[in-house]
Amino acid sequence: MEVKVVVMAALLGIVSVCNAQLDGNECTKASAQSCGECIQVGEMCGWCSTEAFLKQGESKSARCDEIKALESKGCSKVENPRGNITIDENKPVTNRKKDGSEKLKPDQITQIQPQKLTLKLRAGEQQKFSLRFKRAEDYPIDMYYLMDLSYSMKDDLENVKNLGTDLMHEMQTITSDFRIGFGSFVEKTVMPYISTTPAKLLNPCTSDQNCTSPFSYKNVLSLTEDGKRFNTLVSQQQISGNLDSPEGGFDAIMQVAVCGEQIGWRNVTRLLVFSTDAGFHFAGDGKLGGIVLPNDGKCHLTNNMYTMSHYYDYPSIAHLVQKLSDNNIQTIFAVTEEFQPVYKELKNLIPKSAVGTLSANSSNVIKLIIDAYNSLSSEVILENSKLPEGVSISYVSHCKNGVSETGDNGRKCSNISIGDEVLFDVAITAKGCPSPGKSETIKIKPLGFNEEVVVVLNFICECECHKSGIPNSPDCHFGNGTLECGACRCNEGRIGRVCECSKDDVRTEDLDANCRMDNGTDICSNNGDCVCGTCECKKRDNPEERYEGKYCECDNFNCDRSNNKLCGGHGRCVCRKCVCDANYTGSACDCPLDKQPCMASNGQECNGRGQCECGVCKCTDTKFQGPTCEICPTCPGVCAEHKNCVQCLAFKSGELKDVCESTCKNFKPILVKKKEDLPQPNSQPFLTHCKERDANDCWFFFTYPVNVLRETDFTRKCFHIHVLCLTSIPECPAGPDIIPIVAGLVAGIVLIGLALLLIWKLLMIIHDRREFAKFEKEKMNAKWDTGENPIYKSAVTTVVNPKYEGK
């Protein structure tokens, strides 16, 4: 099973590789006709501007390929423009202390670096840069308090009247530059949101309550540093009323966001506190009052009053998100506990917003604002303006404690304290050439902050050689094109490698005749198209494979193969024939001329028993086989082969003892006394240890190193043999000692007999005891019947005299 799995995995791997090769690459698939078109395909594509680069039959698009592929084809001049980044403005982030003597204006404080960059973008090439963000200490804050003045907020208004001075005092611990403003809202002044009867328009509350006329939104106090003035104006406000529960707060938020001049927003941290105890109307609800025009997102304040509430519908949530983001406003929703779930869902849709629980009478509003501000200011979220078509951007954040995030989380860092510095890596990539000849600008900014980074994008749409092109060049068929980057870019209506044809004359019989080889019927050998009387060969899916020749009759992939490799992997396929590398020959370059693989361990070619053909031994002696003809399965072992010579030379015995001198004359024995004195395997090359037995079952040991000195007949050998002889007597096994064997055998028989008797006796005892126990048990269980025999009749008969009266 394991073998099957491995084989299957290998096959899958081969299939994957083959598929990858067949897929080709995006450069060749694009069929680019100019350098500009080529470099827009991808960052790996280059254009060969060497004029003599194209081979016969290749089209202009063959100049566009991957850089390495062009270089391997011999291109000496590859056009491959690359993008770059230029930093235009790079003011360092501000290191400012709250208690410092230096007083900086808001526009003098820098929290993000750099501020402006220019990028040159090549299609598919990613350009990366880093943004550094640092929260400045004592950064100015503008806060606008927007309050619901419907009747249910009556008790809340009392607690807000002193909010100005109290909040000013609390905010001193955060910033020395704090301004506050106040606005109020109720509802659209049309039915069914309010009652339009004259009396209710004057006093929408009950007759015993003194309420002001209903209104949509009113800017009571623009942003000011005077907390006492805030208290005074808020104290003068009166509660109003409406009919339905949801309020028109979205109208008010929109006007606060877009009426920056009337509100008095500065380019500093902008906070909007939205206080209510009810829900909200949004886009589409205006239809109940006959209002169908969508909110236009513009400022409509006249004398600090929103005058178009009866004309425009409520804004949508998405519209509000856009305007709040455009104006860098962070929103704090101070709502009662009952509506917490609603506004928490709204918070998830509005970036840089927070929700706080407002007590029933707004007594905790200051703490709520401080907590919400700390939460908002501890998070940095980057956003960018709309990207041009074909441009993409990605972020990687490097936050506190070495934490890095990618994807959507790469845009933000949390838990940032004042003075902390974080880093964002930004990568911008373009696809193609989105804006030829002009620049595009995008802006990246941290949400809720007024600062931004301006990124100017310039797109590389043409090669450098394009600038030196020669319009109406004579080399382009009498001026029918521009000679640029080594090729002709044809004028409108002209085609061909040198613009030699008009599009109207592409398919004519006269031109097609020039594309038939040997007056045959196949146009361009069925491997190309006839364009202007010249064959332009087809492209293969695999960029390494190509058709060539005047008639596309040649290719570099239909040569003989060996081991599933073109030309055996040892040559090049040129016009369907293999051109072999050095030391290789054959139709598939599968025959190496090197004879080293045929050398046997003794240094002889094929062990002297064969011939070396294409690096493989062909054994001429049928007894021998193996890659070097050294294996002889039917040959006796060397030890057995020379056993008789060793016996006759060392011990004067064996089959050859009578002809020893003539038969074993090439052996020279050297006797040693002990086995340990024999040469060891590592002491000499080709050393063999032998252990043989003679006719008397005696063992003898010998070793010999073989120095092969081949002669012309390849049969003679000279041996230098070391023979072991222990006191000139072979090592014979000692005979058996009969007495101990017989004694042991007798003792064994006796012991076995005794053991059998004991076992038999033991079995009989066990059997007797079992029978006796059985008898005793039956005796105890026996019951004898002591009654009379039912068929017994006594021999005595008693007769009673009936007349006897006992006298």
Side-chain angles (χ1 to χ4, degrees), residues 62 127 143 217 223 279 377 468 533 541 568 595 683 726 750 790:
Q127 295 296 332
M143 192 196 79
Y217 161 68
L223 293 166
S377 60
S468 57
D541 290 333
K595 295 186 177 182
S683 63
L726 300 177
V750 172

Side-chain angles (χ1 to χ4, degrees), residues 710-764:
R710 294 289 178 182
E711 297 184 354
T712 56
D713 61 354
F714 299 103
T715 59
R716 298 185 59 197
K717 298 182 181 179
C718 294
F719 295 93
H720 183 202
I721 304 177
H722 292 274
V723 180
L724 168 65
C725 179
L726 300 177
T727 63
S728 301
I729 299 175
E731 191 177 280
C732 300
D737 192 350
I738 300 300
I739 295 176
I741 293 175
V742 173
L745 183 60
V746 172
I749 293 173
V750 172
L751 290 174
I752 292 173
L754 291 175
L756 291 175
L757 287 173
L758 289 174
I759 294 172
W760 175 81
K761 183 62 176 175
L762 181 61
L763 292 175
M764 292 303 294

Side-chain angles (χ1 to χ4, degrees), residues 262-408:
Q262 290 89 334
I263 302 299
W265 292 118
R266 298 177 295 173
N267 284 329
V268 297
T269 298
R270 300 175 176 179
L271 299 178
L272 171 61
V273 180
F274 182 84
S275 176
T276 184
D277 63 350
F280 49 82
H281 285 295
F282 52 89
D285 288 352
K287 293 180 180 180
L288 296 173
I291 303 172
V292 295
L293 284 179
N295 195 287
D296 64 351
K298 295 180 180 180
C299 182
H300 296 287
L301 290 185
T302 302
N303 296 324
N304 288 323
M305 295 288 290
Y306 179 39
T307 57
M308 302 296 287
S309 66
H310 63 287
Y311 192 75
Y312 289 114
D313 194 7
Y314 302 99
S316 65
I317 296 175
H319 201 180
L320 275 184
V321 171
Q322 177 192 348
K323 292 302 180 180
L324 290 171
S325 176
D326 291 345
N327 293 280
N328 303 316
I329 296 175
Q330 304 176 65
T331 310
I332 301 173
F333 295 104
V335 297
T336 56
E337 188 171 0
E338 178 185 357
F339 288 93
Q340 280 283 309
V342 175
Y343 283 90
K344 283 184 178 179
E345 291 296 326
L346 182 61
K347 167 191 171 295
N348 295 332
L349 301 174
I350 302 179
K352 293 294 282 186
S353 62
V355 177
T357 303
L358 192 68
S359 61
N361 57 4
S362 296
S363 58
N364 67 332
V365 66
I366 294 179
K367 183 179 184 303
L368 185 153
I369 292 172
I370 298 296
D371 292 344
Y373 170 75
N374 290 332
S375 173
L376 290 172
S377 60
S378 65
E379 185 177 51
V380 177
I381 303 176
L382 294 185
E383 70 163 3
N384 51 267
S385 58
K386 184 179 179 182
L387 298 173
E389 185 177 357
V391 176
S392 60
I393 189 170
S394 62
Y395 298 86
V396 178
S397 61
H398 303 284
C399 308
K400 291 175 63 177
N401 303 322
V403 177
S404 296
E405 297 284 352
T406 58
D408 289 339

